[in-house]
Amino acid sequence: MNDDDRFDHPNFQERYEQQIEAYEEEKQAKAAERQKRLEPPINLATRHRT
């Protein structure tokens, strides 16, 4: 086992929390991207969604 992956490593909790935060941000960004793609494009000539 890599020494950095051990629970008794001095920085384990800090690195774990940073990874969780990065994952949550990535998850939110992906959800926002999915929401953008759900809306159909707007026809600029008629200003209606196609």
Side-chain angles (χ1 to χ4, degrees), residues 9-34:
H9 190 276
N11 297 329
F12 177 82
Q13 185 69 30
E14 179 182 330
R15 288 185 305 110
Y16 176 77
E17 290 171 0
Q18 289 172 348
Q19 290 172 347
I20 294 294
E21 185 177 331
Y23 170 73
E24 291 294 331
E25 290 172 0
E26 179 182 351
K27 192 167 68 168
Q28 289 175 358
K30 286 182 179 181
E33 184 62 33
R34 281 193 303 273

